Amino acid sequence: MKNNKPIVAITMGDPASIGPEISLRVFKDKKLYEQCNPIIVGDSSVLLKVMEYLPDLKSKLNVIENVDDAKFEYGLVDVYEMHMVDIDQLRFGVVSKMAGNAAFQYVKKVIDLAMAGKVDATVTNALNKEAMNLAGHHFAGHTEIYAHYTHTKNYTMMLAHDNLRVVHISTHVSLRQACDLVKKPRVAEVIRIADDACKRLGIAHPKIGVAGLNPHSSENGLFGNEEADEIIPAINETKAEGIDVTGPVPPDTVFPKAVGGWYDIVVAMYHDQGHIPLKMQGFQYDEEKKEWKSVAGVNITLGLPIIRTSVDHGTAFDQVLKGTANEISLKNAIDYAIKLAENK
């Protein structure tokens, strides 16, 4: 904390993506500095090049290599310089080994800074998994990188948009593997993590809805046994601990109920079961204008010793340098990071 405001380190994301653009756009908002002390971790050369293409984002940079040298002044963007990009070789909107390595190194740096207590929270822009793997960093995504470098075994992903919050039993695995991972210990673990996350967000008495795995939550065994064998025992165990948890609720009704205020958070059984309803809420396309009018939502990794939130969209290579990239998700991610840091 500095001046009673959390220091938030924001990765630039893949240098060839919309990450640099939306980062600069967010820093144009004076309210950002009223809420926190923000730093971009990335390459200043990329930000300067983006400003050449998009003059409305022109900003003065304070290039630093130590958090203590940051000014945290509106109108002056503090950039933690990483020296990862040869700007003459960078091709915007194109997958490359150089950009993939840079995006990975930005993430590793913010993890290091947070683990060392130099920053209070971390926020990540999108990286491209193909580019990262081309660079030799074989991780499924941000969540797995954070878990690896913080030595965390018990963690999960939470997505949030307005009053809809979703945590997952599994994420980046095949659907076949996801079904096999629905086990009582894991379900109980995620219910506990969900309860703790809501309390850290200021919800004193969280109400948790647990989705079933099978259609209609199996109809008492007609469509599968996972509910009876794994999910219900986990719910009963955590309920005995004092957690306000309900389920298994049929997957096709648990999310409308959550939006309606029945639950503060939903435990989803696999990646798409949770992602699809969240993105239906946060992603809004204007058919008449042929553009996205809203790309909202936040991705939060729970169970880590440090705070990590993220945009809930990809690198959007097709939108790079067009001036149309939407920064709402990044703003939301920063807001969540601030809230978690203040309640830490």
Side-chain angles (χ1 to χ4, degrees), residues 11 34 42 48 75 116 118 136 164 195 221 228 245 253 264 285 287 294 299 306 315 319 324:
T11 68
E34 295 171 357
L48 291 169
K118 297 292 185 181
L164 179 59
D195 184 65
V245 54
T253 59
D264 296 301
Y285 187 72
E287 172 64 23
S294 174
N299 182 331
I306 59 178
T315 47
Q319 294 185 49
T324 57

Side-chain angles (χ1 to χ4, degrees), residues 240-272:
E241 298 168 4
I243 296 176
D244 186 355
V245 54
T246 302
V249 184
D252 57 355
T253 59
V254 68
F255 297 102
K257 285 184 174 181
V259 172
W262 290 43
Y263 312 116
D264 296 301
I265 193 164
V266 174
V267 176
M269 292 298 118
Y270 55 93
H271 184 282
D272 283 9

